[in-house]
Amino acid sequence: MKNGTFHIKLTEAIYNSQACYFLHFYSKLAEETIIDKLKCLQWSDEHKQYYLVQKDMSLHVLFSELRKLGCYVDYSKIKKKTRPKREQIKNPVQLPKLTPRLKYKLDQFERWMLEKRLSKNTIYTYKGVTALFLRYMQLKKAKEINALWIQRFNHDYVIVGDYSVSYQNQCINGIKKYIDFCSMDVDFELLERPQKPKKLPVVLTKEEIKTLLEVTHNIKHKTLLAILYSGGLRIGEALAMHITDVDSKRGLLFIRNAKGKKDRYTLLSIKILDLLRHYYKQYKPKKYLFEGQHGDRYSNASARAVFLRSIKRAEITKQGITLHTLRHSFATHLLESGTDIRYIQELLGHKSPNTTMIYTHVTESSLKKIKNPLDELY
């Protein structure tokens, strides 16, 4: 680490016929933190490193994302023609430091969010974006928060800085939460949110899931992937699961404190019970179902690396595959087998049925029922 930040080195190479940036981490903590935050990164078995396809994200935006995560980036190995100019990697506007009064107010805001039981990631994000907004208000010598100043901050900092749509929405959410904390009356109707691109989830076939598990020889890794698919779990839910959360007699998995602070039950396939027993006898986890080397929770980065290695061994070449693809596949396969969408909503822990409805657009059985008009011509 350097000056209290994560130290990362960037290199570039051609991989799978595409120009890519490769990230070199100088500590396990840096790797796990950055990989957990930057969902766009992929694992290369050949290079044993995480990488990003250059056409998917400009170097300037990559720098901005890494800087937001507190990274010192060594880009000396990047070709000069693609190296960002000095002024490009600075913030779009130079913001002053917060006054002691606003720092104290921001700390109060953090404690308020803790009392509201918001997740650690949400608190970290909301506090960070609110600090940027308050610094912007200081720069402009604005006396009160209103929708117009939020719009100006959105343009001068987020749009000019070429930040992502997701980050823009995070800024708005964080500022709104701060306004709620301050009990202010601000009209947000004039504040338009950017629309995220609506992409259909990538889904694996049942045959691909079977192959994926067959090529995963390590029993711990196989059990993790099987549990994710069997219960339609988010990776965080699986890694937070305790040994006692497996109800083998009822064929259920107990998911504690999931998204939205809700507990729920989901399915446990009876066919992986033997796998679970063999795994337990061999690894003897003490608290968490999946533990790291020192008895703590298994890391997201390790789980992601395991999954990507198995995907490569299974020779599955679909684009955009992540651990979350197993959850998408679980929901889609249930829907194709005739399971009521309301049950699927409960199993997945979706708050709204509209979230679950996306799977109706990707089910193979539904599409096969539609008669193609070309078929009627012959």
Side-chain angles (χ1 to χ4, degrees):
M1 296 177 71
K2 181 173 181 176
N3 296 331
T5 59
F6 294 124
H7 192 176
I8 293 177
K9 184 176 182 180
L10 280 183
T11 59
E12 57 185 345
I14 301 299
Y15 181 58
N16 290 338
S17 303
Q18 298 184 91
C20 301
Y21 296 120
F22 282 84
L23 281 74
H24 306 254
F25 300 98
Y26 289 83
S27 71
K28 191 66 175 177
L29 177 61
E31 178 178 336
E32 292 184 357
T33 302
I34 304 307
I35 297 307
D36 190 49
K37 298 291 184 182
L38 288 185
K39 307 297 184 184
C40 54
L41 298 178
Q42 303 178 63
W43 174 259
S44 166
D45 262 343
E46 180 181 334
H47 293 80
K48 305 299 181 187
Q49 288 170 335
Y50 285 93
Y51 71 95
L52 173 75
V53 179
Q54 291 186 13
K55 69 176 183 179
D56 292 343
M57 183 181 287
S58 69
L59 185 58
H60 169 49
V61 175
L62 176 59
F63 260 80
S64 296
E65 295 295 325
L66 290 172
R67 283 164 57 85
K68 282 189 299 182
L69 296 172
C71 296
Y72 168 80
V73 184
D74 176 2
Y75 56 90
S76 58
K77 297 298 181 181
I78 302 293
K79 293 178 183 177
K80 288 185 178 180
K81 64 177 181 180
T82 60
R83 185 180 300 170
K85 295 179 181 178
R86 185 174 182 82
E87 60 270 18
Q88 281 184 310
I89 62 175
K90 291 182 178 179
N91 289 332
V93 289
Q94 296 304 297
L95 303 176
K97 292 182 179 180
L98 283 176
T99 63
R101 183 183 67 83
L102 284 177
K103 277 185 179 179
Y104 177 72
K105 189 80 172 178
L106 204 59
D107 288 339
Q108 287 183 314
F109 176 46
E110 181 180 13
R111 286 194 293 271
W112 179 79
M113 289 189 288
L114 282 167
E115 291 169 359
K116 295 287 184 183
R117 298 298 183 93
L118 272 65
S119 72
K120 290 182 180 179
N121 284 342
T122 299
I123 292 172
Y124 173 82
T125 301
Y126 284 3
K127 184 180 179 182
V129 298
T130 302
L132 290 172
F133 175 66
L134 293 177
R135 290 167 63 194
Y136 177 82
M137 294 281 288
Q138 276 185 213
L139 177 71
K140 299 298 182 180
K141 298 181 180 178
K143 293 184 177 179
E144 62 178 25
I145 297 175
N146 55 42
L148 180 59
W149 280 119
I150 299 173
Q151 283 181 323
R152 288 177 177 176
F153 168 73
N154 178 51
H155 175 269
D156 293 347
Y157 188 86
V158 181
I159 303 299
V160 173
D162 196 22
Y163 289 100
S164 66
V165 170
S166 295
Y167 184 68
Q168 186 175 347
N169 276 316
Q170 285 177 343
C171 288
I172 295 173
N173 290 337
I175 296 167
K176 284 185 70 174
K177 188 64 72 173
Y178 181 75
I179 288 169
D180 186 22
F181 159 70
C182 295
S183 300
M184 297 178 183
D185 185 18
V186 176
D187 185 6
F188 282 93
E189 290 186 6
L190 300 175
L191 193 63
E192 293 186 6
R193 287 178 176 271
Q195 287 191 347
K196 291 183 181 179
K198 294 184 178 179
K199 297 181 180 180
L200 292 177
V202 180
V203 173
L204 300 178
T205 65
K206 292 179 180 179
E207 291 73 20
E208 287 172 328
I209 295 287
K210 183 180 179 182
T211 303
L212 180 71
L213 295 176
E214 286 175 346
V215 299
T216 307
H217 304 301
N218 181 291
I219 192 169
K220 179 179 181 178
H221 300 163
K222 179 181 287 192
T223 305
L224 173 60
L225 298 183
I227 284 282
L228 285 168
Y229 173 67
S230 169
L233 304 180
R234 301 176 179 92
I235 182 58
E237 294 171 346
L239 299 184
M241 190 173 294
H242 294 185
I243 302 168
T244 53
D245 294 337
V246 179
D247 190 339
S248 56
K249 291 183 179 179
R250 298 169 63 198
L252 295 174
L253 293 172
F254 177 61
I255 313 302
R256 61 176 69 243
N257 199 24
K259 193 173 182 179
K261 306 295 182 184
K262 292 182 179 179
D263 295 342
R264 75 177 191 278
Y265 281 98
T266 188
L267 304 179
L268 171 66
S269 168
I270 58 173
K271 293 194 174 181
I272 64 169
L273 285 178
D274 283 342
L275 182 65
L276 266 170
R277 293 187 183 104
H278 287 307
Y279 158 68
Y280 182 79
K281 287 179 182 178
Q282 184 171 334
Y283 281 86
K284 297 180 175 59
K286 300 293 188 297
K287 178 181 178 182
Y288 296 105
L289 186 58
F290 300 103
E291 295 178 342
Q293 293 181 351
H294 305 293
D296 52 351
R297 281 174 48 168
Y298 200 58
S299 72
N300 284 32
S302 296
R304 191 177 292 114
V306 164
F307 175 71
L308 293 176
R309 283 197 296 270
S310 293
I311 285 291
K312 185 173 182 180
R313 289 195 197 104
E315 299 182 351
I316 298 172
T317 57
K318 291 177 178 176
Q319 296 297 309
I321 296 176
T322 66
L323 279 167
H324 213 68
T325 301
L326 296 176
R327 177 174 162 88
H328 292 321
S329 303
F330 167 82
T332 303
H333 296 162
L334 283 180
L335 198 58
E336 288 178 342
S337 65
T339 306
D340 191 299
I341 198 165
R342 290 170 297 181
Y343 293 137
I344 299 175
Q345 179 190 342
E346 290 295 324
L347 293 172
L348 294 177
H350 284 163
K351 184 177 180 181
S352 168
N354 293 332
T355 308
T356 318
M357 286 296 291
I358 192 171
Y359 297 110
T360 62
H361 298 292
V362 292
T363 55
E364 185 180 350
S365 57
S366 299
L367 295 176
K368 282 184 175 179
K369 292 178 183 177
I370 303 173
K371 188 170 182 62
N372 193 301
L374 182 66
D375 295 340
E376 298 178 359
L377 302 182
Y378 298 95

